[in-house]
Amino acid sequence: MKGTLVSIAMFKASDYKLLSVRDGFLATAKESLKYLSSLAINDCLSPRHFLSFILVLNLTFMIAFLPFRYFATSATAEPVMVDNELNVEVVAEGLKSPSNIAFLGPNDILVLEKDSGKVRRIVNGTILEKPLLDVNVANKKFERGLLGIDIASNNNSAPTQVFLYFTESKIRDGEDNCPLNNYCYPGNDPLGNRLYRYDLDEMNSTLVNPKLLLDLPATPGPAHNGGVVVIGPDNNVYVVVGDILGDLNATSRTAAQNFQNGSSPDGRAGILRVTQDGKNVGDGLLGKNGILNKYYAYGIRNSFGMDFDPVSGNLWDTENGPEYGDEINLVKPGFNSGWISVQGYWIPTKIHNHPLRDFAPGEVMLRPNGSVSFVNFSEYGTYSSPKFIWYTPMAPTALRFLNSDNLGEQYENDMFVGDMYGNLYHFDLIKNRTDLDLFGPLKDRIANNPEEIQGVKFGEGFGRSLSGITDIEVGYDGCLYVVSYEGTIYRIVKGGSSP
């Protein structure tokens, strides 16, 4: 136990995807002090490790009381577009920690409030007072909560069906007790990360008839829960699940995380695919036993964004690295994203007893197949390199294809990606739609620093740093809608007026 105490205390700014950094430091410092006290009282803390903890706490408080400008772009920043023929409108504001949205119809939006577990409805820009649903969510740390939504398109008299993914709590919101960003006290664990299907009642006012489709792990956590839900062109339901910090415990190190002697996959570290009734799709891609037959892809550390290319039908995702190596990936059936054997083009090297970092980039592996040990499942378990990498983490989140020419023909069917710093990026694809059309300093597929990424910058200011973009959607009007974790939904329009 004593040998792992400093590891338990680690935290890093790039993992505070959904929490104000300064508030995160304050909360961590307060809970860490309580935790230390309890250990000291019970003689569980060695003097050497106690000194290490005190140094970490001092650093925490020092950073916590720095002016907020060290952590945010601007408290009053407004979105700005690179293309001066495009403008940004506010659709709704005053939401509490919105994570995802989905459209019921024109000017009719369902929005998830991550920490409250409430599904809100916005009609013509007005947030209705009564939520459609309020579920119990674990939310004591920044990445648990109500995380993903999509709506099935029914062209018959059947009820509209809504799919939700959330970290479910037993009785009430916030039952989990997590003093640190990578440690929770035992005994207060969530029920799990769960995918449910609901029916929308005839009045479009309540979500009813919950059906549990997937019951997935939520420990050790509390980070890396993933959460994006997408109904694919095949009408199956896809949900991305992170590794839930599975490398922390021997019992949660699975083959799906590329641990050579890992336990059987349990639903973490992958993209899972099921029918709208929660059943397997055929015989499965990676195997026929247990949950393995539901994996569409694996080796994923964590992701906040995925979407299907409307032209080719290919699936793409974003992936968050540790202290380096955020990615954009083309996700073919059976795709192995490489974690924990490789991230970006580098082999992760564990950093021990460091207060702010967990993995550093090790040896460069431009073509790691044959040089790195990956876990393979049948003929489909195949690693392929990222199509784009941020060397310096920017916490990419939502990914969306714009299947419309309402912003101009030059953007039709292109890819748009957001990050938690409030930046919006635009990527063209090559003719066969299997790669990004990169140029200049990005031709090597790597943004080595923030300056190199400027060539694909589409907009900025969609929320302050680390409270930026959580979702991007295409509305019935063919415009891009951008969700800021600060509580605002924006719409990008051409010429500054409603189409």
Side-chain angles (χ1 to χ4, degrees):
M1 174 65 180
K2 292 179 181 177
T4 64
L5 290 176
V6 173
S7 296
I8 290 173
M10 291 181 193
F11 55 88
K12 59 188 180 61
S14 65
D15 256 351
Y16 278 80
K17 305 287 196 293
L18 299 176
L19 187 66
S20 160
V21 174
R22 190 168 71 172
D23 291 346
F25 276 122
L26 285 168
T28 301
K30 179 180 177 181
E31 295 298 331
S32 296
L33 188 56
K34 291 166 59 179
Y35 180 58
L36 283 171
S37 299
S38 66
L39 291 175
I41 291 171
N42 291 287
D43 296 325
C44 294
L45 192 65
S46 69
R48 180 171 62 87
H49 284 139
F50 184 80
L51 178 59
S52 298
F53 268 111
I54 293 301
L55 291 174
V56 172
L57 288 173
N58 285 338
L59 178 62
T60 302
F61 278 111
M62 179 183 72
I63 297 177
F65 287 102
L66 285 173
F68 194 79
R69 66 178 179 272
Y70 288 95
F71 304 103
T73 50
S74 172
T76 59
E78 296 293 335
V80 176
M81 303 304 299
V82 173
D83 186 340
N84 58 19
E85 293 188 1
L86 301 178
N87 284 279
V88 181
E89 301 175 347
V90 173
V91 176
E93 53 190 343
L95 295 159
K96 296 179 180 179
S97 305
S99 59
N100 267 257
I101 64 173
F103 281 85
L104 270 178
N107 301 313
D108 195 347
I109 304 171
L110 299 187
V111 56
L112 308 185
E113 292 187 337
K114 185 184 77 71
D115 292 335
S116 71
K118 294 177 180 178
V119 181
R120 297 282 187 187
R121 187 179 177 196
I122 301 173
V123 179
N124 295 320
T126 300
I127 304 171
L128 303 188
E129 182 176 355
K130 181 184 176 182
L132 275 68
L133 183 71
D134 187 354
V135 295
N136 297 324
V137 292
N139 60 17
K140 286 299 185 183
K141 282 295 176 180
F142 48 91
E143 290 181 11
R144 285 176 171 170
L146 183 53
L147 303 174
I149 182 173
D150 205 355
I151 300 174
S153 299
N154 292 321
N155 297 318
N156 51 40
S157 59
T160 297
Q161 293 185 321
V162 178
F163 297 83
L164 297 177
Y165 175 89
F166 56 94
T167 315
E168 187 168 10
S169 189
K170 296 175 183 177
I171 300 174
R172 60 184 179 275
D173 295 340
E175 283 185 301
D176 50 331
N177 190 350
C178 304
L180 304 172
N181 79 311
N182 57 0
Y183 178 75
C184 298
Y185 288 118
N188 299 283
D189 294 331
L191 293 173
N193 281 310
R194 292 177 161 180
L195 176 69
Y196 281 92
R197 187 190 72 200
Y198 291 84
D199 292 336
L200 185 63
D201 71 352
E202 294 181 356
M203 301 298 293
N204 287 357
S205 62
T206 309
L207 292 176
V208 297
N209 302 327
K211 177 179 174 60
L212 179 62
L213 302 184
L214 287 173
D215 189 0
L216 304 168
T219 58
H224 300 180
N225 301 281
V228 180
V229 178
V230 175
I231 298 175
D234 56 2
N235 287 320
N236 293 313
V237 184
Y238 294 73
V239 58
V240 62
V241 185
D243 68 357
I244 318 171
L245 298 182
D247 62 287
L248 293 179
N249 295 338
T251 56
S252 55
R253 295 170 187 161
T254 73
Q257 298 149 262
N258 287 291
F259 285 105
Q260 290 296 316
N261 298 313
S263 56
S264 298
D266 59 3
R268 74 181 71 231
I271 296 173
L272 306 183
R273 177 183 63 172
V274 295
T275 69
Q276 294 188 23
D277 292 322
K279 300 183 184 304
N280 300 332
V281 178
D283 291 332
L285 292 172
L286 304 183
K288 299 181 180 180
N289 298 322
I291 199 168
L292 187 60
N293 56 20
K294 294 179 173 63
Y295 274 84
Y296 186 84
Y298 65 104
I300 296 171
R301 182 177 181 270
N302 198 33
S303 174
F304 296 103
M306 66 176 177
D307 194 20
F308 286 90
D309 180 348
V311 178
S312 69
N314 290 329
L315 181 63
W316 293 73
D317 77 355
T318 61
E319 185 172 344
N320 297 115
E323 305 303 326
Y324 68 95
D326 292 340
E327 300 176 354
I328 296 176
N329 293 294
L330 171 62
V331 183
K332 291 287 191 177
F335 168 70
N336 180 0
S337 192
W339 181 256
I340 191 171
S341 295
V342 67
Q343 183 72 26
Y345 289 143
W346 301 270
I347 296 176
T349 301
K350 185 71 175 178
I351 300 176
H352 297 284
N353 300 336
H354 194 291
L356 296 177
R357 304 176 67 189
D358 54 4
F359 288 93
E363 184 180 357
V364 176
M365 283 289 167
L366 295 180
R367 295 175 180 84
N369 278 316
S371 303
V372 176
S373 295
F374 296 112
V375 173
N376 295 317
F377 299 96
S378 68
E379 72 270 22
Y380 277 103
T382 304
Y383 171 80
S384 59
S385 298
K387 300 302 182 182
F388 186 74
I389 301 167
W390 287 263
Y391 181 81
T392 301
M394 293 299 291
T397 51
L399 182 154
R400 190 66 55 198
F401 286 92
L402 177 61
N403 57 338
S404 163
D405 63 358
N406 276 13
L407 299 186
E409 292 182 358
Q410 68 271 34
Y411 301 123
E412 185 176 10
N413 295 321
D414 288 354
M415 178 192 295
F416 294 84
V417 174
D419 71 27
M420 281 308 293
Y421 291 81
N423 299 308
L424 187 60
Y425 307 99
H426 164 236
F427 295 93
D428 284 311
L429 276 68
I430 64 174
K431 187 174 181 180
N432 69 6
R433 310 291 290 184
T434 61
D435 214 334
L436 302 179
D437 189 9
L438 300 171
F439 52 89
L442 300 182
K443 281 194 72 68
D444 62 358
R445 302 178 187 268
I446 303 173
N448 291 289
N449 53 62
E451 288 71 33
E452 287 192 359
I453 199 70
Q454 295 303 311
V456 292
K457 183 78 72 69
F458 190 62
E460 61 185 7
F462 292 92
R464 295 174 297 180
S465 295
L466 300 179
S467 292
I469 296 170
T470 57
D471 198 12
I472 305 168
E473 294 290 336
V474 180
Y476 276 69
D477 54 9
C479 295
L480 278 179
Y481 287 70
V482 180
V483 182
S484 166
Y485 191 63
E486 289 188 324
T488 304
I489 299 175
Y490 300 97
R491 181 174 70 153
I492 299 174
V493 298
K494 187 174 183 179
S497 60
S498 301

